[in-house]
Amino acid sequence: MMAKKFTVTPWRVSGSIDYNRLIKEFGTERITNELMWRIKKHTKELHPYLTRKIFFSHRDLNWILDEYEKGNKFFLYTGRGPSEKVHLGHITVWKFTKWLQDKFDVELWFQMTDDEKFLFKPNLTIEETNKLAYDNALDVIALGFDPKKTFIFSNIDYAKTLYREALKVAKKLTFSTVKATFGFKEDNNVGQIFFTSMQAVPCFLPSVKANKNIPCLIPLAIDQDAHFRIARDIMPKLGYYKPAIIHQRFLPALEGSGKMSASEGTTIFTTDSPEEVEKKIRKYAFSGGRETIKEHREKGGNPDIDVSYQWLTFFEEDDKKLEKIYNDYRSGSLLTGELKQILIDKLNKFLKEHQRKREKAKKILNKFIVKN
Ligand code: TRP
């Protein structure tokens, strides 16, 4: 059979993604049961995103645990390109990051790449993306990160600190590597060519500040991996550790293929009203149900392609409930409309709490922000 076409780069994700092929093509490692047990030794329980293989791949996670077991704690690093309001796809990576912070009691460095979004989005101004950095930070804070251990920064407003370090990365990075990694052409602007140097900095900034090497673990959606293939090559040349990475699959687009994104298809934002959520799910969530109710009752639906079910694997934490939904949908006793209702209720319940905490975050934003 001919392999299906799909694209996964930091700036474009489309098609029906074969995650096994990504592991091969990117040269990452699968998260095995052994590795999960090793994590569980420290965390006591496993996050459903691990057992459900939503975080499915990694680089050097065993090494991070070796160091941790020797008493050499890591820090977490992740980020957000603030080109829009935050949507539910982003939240899932950060929820897991918060779990890691709690379980391992470690710092989080959170990068807002307003510089990147200015360079890559033709119509976005610096003022707009910089403002969005602080708007988006509210969603991060709403998830409950520890203000004493969490540092959020806009690249533009923390540039004096970051630029100094980015230069060291840029000096070791050639145009041909950037071209080959990101598929850039002669007509890419020069800011885009430089940008990955900025995204590499938080991998070693805490080490610079502490004046000793600290391991770094980056939770991310797998489209960002390319940046860190480059960073991992360069870090040892600067005398730092390679960052370890743990990769998440995408929250699928409502329409059924690729990832959910604000630039393509329908997006559910964290600030959507219950009515908006309901409307979007009812109208757009791709269904694995049958043509007619009669046929559905007789033959059952297909949860494996049903987007509402796939979303519940991200938002319903109770394994038993999830399994029952799966079986009921398969057998035909649960109809598509009913399945959608379960998802709508789940999301609206989450969003109600989230929106409340997001409001509160406005008062404590300053506790999290670092800038020059
Ligand atoms: N470039 C990322 C984006 O567009 C944001 C980002 C910066 C990031 N640093 C990161 C994401 C580290 C994951 C990990 O969304």
Side-chain angles (χ1 to χ4, degrees):
M1 204 176 84
M2 220 177 76
K4 276 202 219 140
K5 264 202 140 153
F6 62 88
T7 311
V8 176
T9 76
W11 300 289
R12 190 173 160 74
V13 176
S14 68
S16 154
I17 299 149
D18 178 343
Y19 289 99
N20 290 326
R21 238 175 79 198
L22 280 184
I23 289 181
K24 274 205 205 112
E25 282 175 17
F26 288 1
T28 70
E29 284 173 75
R30 194 180 304 281
I31 297 179
T32 59
N33 289 340
E34 285 77 8
L35 184 49
M36 278 197 259
W37 290 327
R38 199 173 168 200
I39 295 170
K40 196 174 172 191
K41 254 188 18 212
H42 300 286
T43 58
K44 307 295 181 256
E45 53 179 20
L46 283 177
H47 195 283
Y49 286 2
L50 285 167
T51 51
R52 293 177 193 170
K53 311 214 182 306
I54 286 175
F55 275 84
F56 69 107
S57 152
H58 75 100
R59 295 180 189 273
D60 279 343
L61 208 50
N62 274 306
W63 166 75
I64 279 282
L65 293 171
D66 290 342
E67 292 298 312
Y68 187 80
E69 286 167 12
K70 282 189 243 163
N72 197 9
K73 264 196 188 179
F74 57 91
F75 66 92
L76 295 161
Y77 161 37
T78 193
R80 154 80 180 145
S83 58
E84 247 291 9
K85 292 179 288 185
V86 166
H87 66 58
L88 288 177
H90 309 122
I91 288 285
T92 59
V93 184
W94 307 341
K95 263 167 78 171
F96 184 71
T97 305
K98 148 85 173 133
W99 182 83
L100 289 173
Q101 178 175 70
D102 287 349
K103 294 295 177 185
F104 290 97
D105 186 33
V106 289
E107 285 185 358
L108 165 64
W109 288 77
F110 196 105
Q111 179 176 53
M112 292 287 179
T113 55
D114 40 11
D115 54 345
E116 172 190 18
K117 292 299 149 174
F118 172 67
L119 291 165
F120 282 86
K121 297 271 171 182
N123 298 320
L124 200 62
T125 67
I126 291 200
E127 288 70 25
E128 284 162 347
T129 175
N130 182 244
K131 198 164 160 232
L132 279 165
Y134 295 97
D135 164 273
N136 290 183
L138 300 176
D139 288 285
V140 177
I141 295 167
L143 294 174
F145 289 100
D146 180 349
K148 291 197 195 70
K149 293 202 161 76
T150 304
F151 309 92
I152 305 176
F153 52 94
S154 129
N155 275 2
I156 292 172
D157 296 334
Y158 201 36
K160 188 171 172 219
T161 300
L162 300 175
Y163 185 61
R164 220 188 143 86
E165 306 308 323
L167 285 173
K168 301 175 191 167
V169 179
K171 195 171 182 175
K172 301 280 181 208
L173 181 57
T174 64
F175 181 33
S176 75
T177 297
V178 172
K179 250 163 109 174
T181 308
F182 299 115
F184 288 170
K185 301 275 163 23
E186 298 293 319
D187 65 353
N188 274 89
N189 72 55
V190 297
Q192 293 174 341
I193 297 162
F194 172 76
F195 169 71
T196 193
S197 315
M198 291 294 278
Q199 189 152 322
V201 171
C203 302
F204 66 104
L205 186 63
S207 299
V208 174
K209 286 185 180 283
N211 201 17
K212 65 165 197 223
N213 278 354
I214 311 175
C216 169
L217 173 61
I218 312 175
L220 48 69
I222 194 155
D223 58 335
Q224 292 295 316
D225 186 71
H227 286 294
F228 300 109
R229 294 202 285 277
I230 290 183
R232 282 168 54 87
D233 275 350
I234 293 179
M235 288 305 106
K237 297 181 186 161
L238 301 179
Y240 299 106
Y241 295 132
K242 292 181 179 194
I245 303 173
I246 179 160
H247 302 99
Q248 196 206 40
R249 5 175 137 237
F250 307 111
L251 180 68
L254 281 180
E255 288 85 349
S257 79
K259 70 162 180 174
M260 182 166 75
S261 109
S263 44
E264 282 167 65
T266 313
T267 309
I268 297 188
F269 296 104
T270 60
T271 47
D272 279 357
S273 69
E275 295 73 32
E276 282 169 312
V277 171
E278 164 141 32
K279 219 172 82 197
K280 289 177 185 176
I281 301 287
R282 289 245 175 259
K283 184 155 180 208
Y284 297 106
F286 180 81
S287 160
R290 302 281 177 170
E291 287 292 312
T292 64
I293 292 187
K294 183 165 175 288
E295 200 192 343
H296 189 92
R297 292 274 187 228
E298 279 167 21
K299 298 185 182 151
N302 183 357
D304 296 324
I305 59 164
D306 187 281
V307 170
S308 299
Y309 177 77
Q310 295 308 318
W311 275 44
L312 282 169
T313 65
F314 286 77
F315 292 101
E316 174 54 71
E317 300 202 342
D318 185 332
D319 284 334
K320 290 226 167 62
K321 278 192 195 164
L322 194 65
E323 195 186 329
K324 181 164 175 6
I325 293 167
Y326 187 94
N327 292 334
D328 289 351
Y329 198 61
R330 264 258 173 260
S331 76
S333 67
L334 187 69
L335 299 174
T336 295
E338 295 166 335
L339 174 56
K340 287 194 172 186
Q341 192 61 50
I342 296 173
L343 176 65
I344 291 164
D345 292 343
K346 193 82 211 171
L347 294 181
N348 280 337
K349 190 164 162 230
F350 167 75
L351 286 177
K352 190 170 171 212
E353 258 311 278
H354 184 78
Q355 288 166 6
R356 192 180 62 75
K357 292 182 189 150
R358 197 179 184 283
E359 268 318 297
K360 277 179 64 183
K362 292 180 182 166
K363 296 204 188 75
I364 51 169
L365 177 63
N366 287 337
K367 289 193 186 163
F368 289 85
I369 300 295
V370 284
K371 53 164 80 174
N372 294 119

